[in-house]
Structure formats: structure tokens, C-alpha cells
PDB file of all heavy atoms in Angstrom:
ATOM      1  N   ASN A   1       1.741  11.876  -0.424  1.00 95.00           N
ATOM      2  CA  ASN A   1       2.798  11.343   0.477  1.00 95.00           C
ATOM      3  C   ASN A   1       2.255  10.452   1.562  1.00 95.00           C
ATOM      4  O   ASN A   1       2.895  10.376   2.590  1.00 95.00           O
ATOM      5  CB  ASN A   1       3.665  12.465   0.985  1.00 95.00           C
ATOM      6  CG  ASN A   1       4.435  13.176  -0.098  1.00 95.00           C
ATOM      7  OD1 ASN A   1       4.986  12.567  -0.929  1.00 95.00           O
ATOM      8  ND2 ASN A   1       4.437  14.546  -0.053  1.00 95.00           N
ATOM      9  N   ILE A   2       1.018  10.048   1.465  1.00 95.00           N
ATOM     10  CA  ILE A   2       0.331   9.388   2.491  1.00 95.00           C
ATOM     11  C   ILE A   2       1.038   7.952   2.769  1.00 95.00           C
ATOM     12  O   ILE A   2       1.331   7.193   1.832  1.00 95.00           O
ATOM     13  CB  ILE A   2      -1.070   9.029   2.239  1.00 95.00           C
ATOM     14  CG1 ILE A   2      -1.870  10.499   2.249  1.00 95.00           C
ATOM     15  CG2 ILE A   2      -1.757   8.106   3.162  1.00 95.00           C
ATOM     16  CD1 ILE A   2      -3.326  10.324   2.080  1.00 95.00           C
ATOM     17  N   GLN A   3       1.384   7.570   4.052  1.00 96.00           N
ATOM     18  CA  GLN A   3       1.894   6.398   4.505  1.00 96.00           C
ATOM     19  C   GLN A   3       0.902   5.941   5.599  1.00 96.00           C
ATOM     20  O   GLN A   3       0.991   6.377   6.680  1.00 96.00           O
ATOM     21  CB  GLN A   3       3.270   6.542   5.112  1.00 96.00           C
ATOM     22  CG  GLN A   3       4.346   6.855   4.240  1.00 96.00           C
ATOM     23  CD  GLN A   3       5.586   7.051   5.049  1.00 96.00           C
ATOM     24  OE1 GLN A   3       6.211   8.082   5.009  1.00 96.00           O
ATOM     25  NE2 GLN A   3       5.925   6.074   5.849  1.00 96.00           N
ATOM     26  N   GLN A   4       0.054   5.020   5.319  1.00 94.00           N
ATOM     27  CA  GLN A   4      -0.891   4.613   6.379  1.00 94.00           C
ATOM     28  C   GLN A   4      -1.650   3.372   6.002  1.00 94.00           C
ATOM     29  O   GLN A   4      -1.853   3.124   4.722  1.00 94.00           O
ATOM     30  CB  GLN A   4      -1.790   5.709   6.746  1.00 94.00           C
ATOM     31  CG  GLN A   4      -2.858   6.110   5.920  1.00 94.00           C
ATOM     32  CD  GLN A   4      -3.873   7.170   6.438  1.00 94.00           C
ATOM     33  OE1 GLN A   4      -3.536   8.433   6.150  1.00 94.00           O
ATOM     34  NE2 GLN A   4      -4.800   6.830   7.116  1.00 94.00           N
ATOM     35  N   LYS A   5      -2.274   2.731   6.847  1.00 94.00           N
ATOM     36  CA  LYS A   5      -3.200   1.557   6.714  1.00 94.00           C
ATOM     37  C   LYS A   5      -4.559   2.242   6.828  1.00 94.00           C
ATOM     38  O   LYS A   5      -4.727   2.897   7.881  1.00 94.00           O
ATOM     39  CB  LYS A   5      -3.057   0.479   7.556  1.00 94.00           C
ATOM     40  CG  LYS A   5      -3.996  -0.602   7.311  1.00 94.00           C
ATOM     41  CD  LYS A   5      -3.813  -1.814   8.171  1.00 94.00           C
ATOM     42  CE  LYS A   5      -4.922  -2.848   7.858  1.00 94.00           C
ATOM     43  NZ  LYS A   5      -4.846  -4.017   8.610  1.00 94.00           N
ATOM     44  N   ILE A   6      -5.417   2.164   5.905  1.00 89.00           N
ATOM     45  CA  ILE A   6      -6.803   2.699   5.946  1.00 89.00           C
ATOM     46  C   ILE A   6      -7.744   1.539   6.153  1.00 89.00           C
ATOM     47  O   ILE A   6      -7.812   0.716   5.244  1.00 89.00           O
ATOM     48  CB  ILE A   6      -7.139   3.555   4.738  1.00 89.00           C
ATOM     49  CG1 ILE A   6      -6.148   4.652   4.605  1.00 89.00           C
ATOM     50  CG2 ILE A   6      -8.532   4.057   4.691  1.00 89.00           C
ATOM     51  CD1 ILE A   6      -6.108   5.371   3.252  1.00 89.00           C
ATOM     52  N   ASP A   7      -8.431   1.587   7.276  1.00 86.00           N
ATOM     53  CA  ASP A   7      -9.403   0.490   7.478  1.00 86.00           C
ATOM     54  C   ASP A   7     -10.617   0.676   6.563  1.00 86.00           C
ATOM     55  O   ASP A   7     -11.183   1.801   6.441  1.00 86.00           O
ATOM     56  CB  ASP A   7      -9.879   0.417   8.901  1.00 86.00           C
ATOM     57  CG  ASP A   7      -8.666  -0.034   9.796  1.00 86.00           C
ATOM     58  OD1 ASP A   7      -7.923  -0.883   9.309  1.00 86.00           O
ATOM     59  OD2 ASP A   7      -8.515   0.503  10.868  1.00 86.00           O
ATOM     60  N   GLY A   8     -11.043  -0.363   5.951  1.00 77.00           N
ATOM     61  CA  GLY A   8     -12.213  -0.245   5.008  1.00 77.00           C
ATOM     62  C   GLY A   8     -13.503  -0.765   5.573  1.00 77.00           C
ATOM     63  O   GLY A   8     -13.764  -0.454   6.776  1.00 77.00           O
ATOM     64  N   PRO A   9     -14.381  -1.334   4.936  1.00 83.00           N
ATOM     65  CA  PRO A   9     -13.990  -2.054   3.664  1.00 83.00           C
ATOM     66  C   PRO A   9     -13.899  -1.201   2.474  1.00 83.00           C
ATOM     67  O   PRO A   9     -14.715  -0.334   2.380  1.00 83.00           O
ATOM     68  CB  PRO A   9     -15.077  -3.101   3.519  1.00 83.00           C
ATOM     69  CG  PRO A   9     -16.305  -2.539   4.221  1.00 83.00           C
ATOM     70  CD  PRO A   9     -15.841  -1.522   5.211  1.00 83.00           C
ATOM     71  N   PRO A  10     -13.105  -1.508   1.549  1.00 88.00           N
ATOM     72  CA  PRO A  10     -12.042  -2.405   1.618  1.00 88.00           C
ATOM     73  C   PRO A  10     -10.897  -1.741   2.416  1.00 88.00           C
ATOM     74  O   PRO A  10     -10.803  -0.505   2.516  1.00 88.00           O
ATOM     75  CB  PRO A  10     -11.634  -2.646   0.149  1.00 88.00           C
ATOM     76  CG  PRO A  10     -11.976  -1.437  -0.542  1.00 88.00           C
ATOM     77  CD  PRO A  10     -13.317  -0.892   0.184  1.00 88.00           C
ATOM     78  N   SER A  11     -10.060  -2.481   2.868  1.00 89.00           N
ATOM     79  CA  SER A  11      -8.774  -1.914   3.549  1.00 89.00           C
ATOM     80  C   SER A  11      -7.792  -1.654   2.513  1.00 89.00           C
ATOM     81  O   SER A  11      -7.749  -2.084   1.446  1.00 89.00           O
ATOM     82  CB  SER A  11      -8.314  -2.786   4.609  1.00 89.00           C
ATOM     83  OG  SER A  11      -7.814  -4.125   4.143  1.00 89.00           O
ATOM     84  N   LEU A  12      -6.952  -0.744   2.897  1.00 95.00           N
ATOM     85  CA  LEU A  12      -5.924  -0.211   1.934  1.00 95.00           C
ATOM     86  C   LEU A  12      -4.614   0.202   2.801  1.00 95.00           C
ATOM     87  O   LEU A  12      -4.685   0.778   3.758  1.00 95.00           O
ATOM     88  CB  LEU A  12      -6.519   1.100   1.331  1.00 95.00           C
ATOM     89  CG  LEU A  12      -5.604   1.902   0.356  1.00 95.00           C
ATOM     90  CD1 LEU A  12      -5.282   1.120  -0.861  1.00 95.00           C
ATOM     91  CD2 LEU A  12      -6.369   3.127  -0.024  1.00 95.00           C
ATOM     92  N   ILE A  13      -3.472  -0.160   2.138  1.00 96.00           N
ATOM     93  CA  ILE A  13      -2.247   0.258   2.743  1.00 96.00           C
ATOM     94  C   ILE A  13      -1.545   1.114   1.695  1.00 96.00           C
ATOM     95  O   ILE A  13      -1.321   0.727   0.542  1.00 96.00           O
ATOM     96  CB  ILE A  13      -1.376  -1.016   3.049  1.00 96.00           C
ATOM     97  CG1 ILE A  13      -1.990  -1.873   4.088  1.00 96.00           C
ATOM     98  CG2 ILE A  13      -0.012  -0.516   3.592  1.00 96.00           C
ATOM     99  CD1 ILE A  13      -1.306  -3.192   4.353  1.00 96.00           C
ATOM    100  N   LEU A  14      -1.063   2.312   2.085  1.00 97.00           N
ATOM    101  CA  LEU A  14      -0.432   3.229   1.199  1.00 97.00           C
ATOM    102  C   LEU A  14       0.963   3.543   1.738  1.00 97.00           C
ATOM    103  O   LEU A  14       1.141   3.759   2.966  1.00 97.00           O
ATOM    104  CB  LEU A  14      -1.171   4.470   0.965  1.00 97.00           C
ATOM    105  CG  LEU A  14      -2.462   4.409   0.261  1.00 97.00           C
ATOM    106  CD1 LEU A  14      -3.251   5.614   0.332  1.00 97.00           C
ATOM    107  CD2 LEU A  14      -2.129   3.926  -1.225  1.00 97.00           C
ATOM    108  N   PRO A  15       1.999   3.535   1.005  1.00 98.00           N
ATOM    109  CA  PRO A  15       2.012   3.150  -0.340  1.00 98.00           C
ATOM    110  C   PRO A  15       1.720   1.555  -0.507  1.00 98.00           C
ATOM    111  O   PRO A  15       1.847   0.852   0.451  1.00 98.00           O
ATOM    112  CB  PRO A  15       3.437   3.399  -1.024  1.00 98.00           C
ATOM    113  CG  PRO A  15       4.308   3.608   0.248  1.00 98.00           C
ATOM    114  CD  PRO A  15       3.344   3.933   1.282  1.00 98.00           C
ATOM    115  N   HIS A  16       1.467   1.155  -1.627  1.00 97.00           N
ATOM    116  CA  HIS A  16       1.190  -0.337  -1.870  1.00 97.00           C
ATOM    117  C   HIS A  16       2.350  -1.074  -1.236  1.00 97.00           C
ATOM    118  O   HIS A  16       3.540  -0.851  -1.485  1.00 97.00           O
ATOM    119  CB  HIS A  16       0.990  -0.707  -3.406  1.00 97.00           C
ATOM    120  CG  HIS A  16       0.429  -2.042  -3.552  1.00 97.00           C
ATOM    121  ND1 HIS A  16       1.282  -3.154  -3.455  1.00 97.00           N
ATOM    122  CD2 HIS A  16      -0.633  -2.502  -3.996  1.00 97.00           C
ATOM    123  CE1 HIS A  16       0.682  -4.222  -3.707  1.00 97.00           C
ATOM    124  NE2 HIS A  16      -0.639  -3.889  -4.125  1.00 97.00           N
ATOM    125  N   PRO A  17       2.112  -2.149  -0.491  1.00 95.00           N
ATOM    126  CA  PRO A  17       3.202  -2.800   0.168  1.00 95.00           C
ATOM    127  C   PRO A  17       4.222  -3.488  -0.603  1.00 95.00           C
ATOM    128  O   PRO A  17       5.218  -3.765  -0.212  1.00 95.00           O
ATOM    129  CB  PRO A  17       2.499  -3.768   1.230  1.00 95.00           C
ATOM    130  CG  PRO A  17       1.069  -3.778   0.785  1.00 95.00           C
ATOM    131  CD  PRO A  17       0.829  -2.664   0.057  1.00 95.00           C
ATOM    132  N   GLU A  18       3.878  -3.804  -1.794  1.00 94.00           N
ATOM    133  CA  GLU A  18       4.844  -4.572  -2.744  1.00 94.00           C
ATOM    134  C   GLU A  18       5.407  -3.662  -3.754  1.00 94.00           C
ATOM    135  O   GLU A  18       6.277  -4.138  -4.547  1.00 94.00           O
ATOM    136  CB  GLU A  18       4.050  -5.694  -3.517  1.00 94.00           C
ATOM    137  CG  GLU A  18       3.408  -6.671  -2.464  1.00 94.00           C
ATOM    138  CD  GLU A  18       4.531  -7.427  -1.608  1.00 94.00           C
ATOM    139  OE1 GLU A  18       5.559  -7.806  -2.160  1.00 94.00           O
ATOM    140  OE2 GLU A  18       4.309  -7.623  -0.403  1.00 94.00           O
ATOM    141  N   ILE A  19       5.146  -2.378  -3.774  1.00 96.00           N
ATOM    142  CA  ILE A  19       5.581  -1.431  -4.829  1.00 96.00           C
ATOM    143  C   ILE A  19       6.945  -1.449  -5.010  1.00 96.00           C
ATOM    144  O   ILE A  19       7.476  -1.390  -6.247  1.00 96.00           O
ATOM    145  CB  ILE A  19       5.024  -0.052  -4.497  1.00 96.00           C
ATOM    146  CG1 ILE A  19       5.225   1.009  -5.772  1.00 96.00           C
ATOM    147  CG2 ILE A  19       5.780   0.628  -3.253  1.00 96.00           C
ATOM    148  CD1 ILE A  19       4.511   2.267  -5.539  1.00 96.00           C
ATOM    149  N   HIS A  20       7.844  -1.483  -4.050  1.00 97.00           N
ATOM    150  CA  HIS A  20       9.330  -1.437  -4.141  1.00 97.00           C
ATOM    151  C   HIS A  20       9.936  -2.839  -4.455  1.00 97.00           C
ATOM    152  O   HIS A  20      11.278  -2.835  -4.744  1.00 97.00           O
ATOM    153  CB  HIS A  20       9.916  -0.869  -2.860  1.00 97.00           C
ATOM    154  CG  HIS A  20       9.730  -1.685  -1.684  1.00 97.00           C
ATOM    155  ND1 HIS A  20       8.439  -1.982  -1.068  1.00 97.00           N
ATOM    156  CD2 HIS A  20      10.578  -2.503  -0.955  1.00 97.00           C
ATOM    157  CE1 HIS A  20       8.612  -2.771  -0.163  1.00 97.00           C
ATOM    158  NE2 HIS A  20       9.898  -3.099   0.016  1.00 97.00           N
ATOM    159  N   LYS A  21       9.154  -3.890  -4.585  1.00 96.00           N
ATOM    160  CA  LYS A  21       9.554  -5.218  -4.975  1.00 96.00           C
ATOM    161  C   LYS A  21       9.239  -5.707  -6.383  1.00 96.00           C
ATOM    162  O   LYS A  21       9.531  -6.772  -6.765  1.00 96.00           O
ATOM    163  CB  LYS A  21       9.020  -6.157  -4.003  1.00 96.00           C
ATOM    164  CG  LYS A  21       9.396  -5.856  -2.571  1.00 96.00           C
ATOM    165  CD  LYS A  21       8.722  -6.990  -1.574  1.00 96.00           C
ATOM    166  CE  LYS A  21       8.980  -6.591  -0.140  1.00 96.00           C
ATOM    167  NZ  LYS A  21       8.253  -7.622   0.737  1.00 96.00           N
ATOM    168  N   ARG A  22       8.589  -4.918  -7.235  1.00 96.00           N
ATOM    169  CA  ARG A  22       8.023  -5.338  -8.357  1.00 96.00           C
ATOM    170  C   ARG A  22       8.526  -4.422  -9.614  1.00 96.00           C
ATOM    171  O   ARG A  22       8.116  -3.261  -9.720  1.00 96.00           O
ATOM    172  CB  ARG A  22       6.496  -5.227  -8.347  1.00 96.00           C
ATOM    173  CG  ARG A  22       5.825  -5.969  -7.295  1.00 96.00           C
ATOM    174  CD  ARG A  22       6.013  -7.541  -7.422  1.00 96.00           C
ATOM    175  NE  ARG A  22       5.116  -8.129  -6.485  1.00 96.00           N
ATOM    176  CZ  ARG A  22       5.634  -9.177  -5.691  1.00 96.00           C
ATOM    177  NH1 ARG A  22       6.957  -9.343  -5.552  1.00 96.00           N
ATOM    178  NH2 ARG A  22       4.895  -9.824  -4.802  1.00 96.00           N
ATOM    179  N   ALA A  23       9.306  -5.123 -10.454  1.00 97.00           N
ATOM    180  CA  ALA A  23       9.819  -4.497 -11.674  1.00 97.00           C
ATOM    181  C   ALA A  23       8.762  -3.952 -12.516  1.00 97.00           C
ATOM    182  O   ALA A  23       8.771  -2.818 -13.034  1.00 97.00           O
ATOM    183  CB  ALA A  23      10.722  -5.337 -12.498  1.00 97.00           C
ATOM    184  N   PHE A  24       7.624  -4.643 -12.581  1.00 96.00           N
ATOM    185  CA  PHE A  24       6.440  -4.277 -13.408  1.00 96.00           C
ATOM    186  C   PHE A  24       5.680  -3.158 -12.938  1.00 96.00           C
ATOM    187  O   PHE A  24       4.837  -2.546 -13.573  1.00 96.00           O
ATOM    188  CB  PHE A  24       5.448  -5.491 -13.700  1.00 96.00           C
ATOM    189  CG  PHE A  24       4.710  -5.918 -12.437  1.00 96.00           C
ATOM    190  CD1 PHE A  24       3.654  -5.483 -11.919  1.00 96.00           C
ATOM    191  CD2 PHE A  24       5.251  -7.234 -11.783  1.00 96.00           C
ATOM    192  CE1 PHE A  24       3.027  -5.828 -10.786  1.00 96.00           C
ATOM    193  CE2 PHE A  24       4.660  -7.627 -10.692  1.00 96.00           C
ATOM    194  CZ  PHE A  24       3.595  -7.082 -10.170  1.00 96.00           C
TER     195      PHE A  24
END
């Protein structure tokens, strides 16, 4: 259930920022 930006490298945003916009 993580919601956060994780500084890297590499950096990571959870959930993926486009997850709710992509049918695929």
C-alpha cells in the first residue's frame, strides 16, 4: 500500500504515476 517517492538512484514513485491512465 506504499504511496511515496523514493529517491534513488534510480528514483521511484509508487504507485506508478501513470497506472490509472493506461488500459494496458
Side-chain angles (χ1 to χ4, degrees):
N1 293 319
I2 292 180
Q3 292 177 236
Q4 74 181 89
K5 180 176 182 186
I6 301 169
D7 293 323
S11 60
L12 174 64
I13 299 173
L14 290 170
H16 189 286
E18 302 295 317
I19 191 172
H20 64 293
K21 300 176 185 176
R22 305 291 191 236
F24 63 82

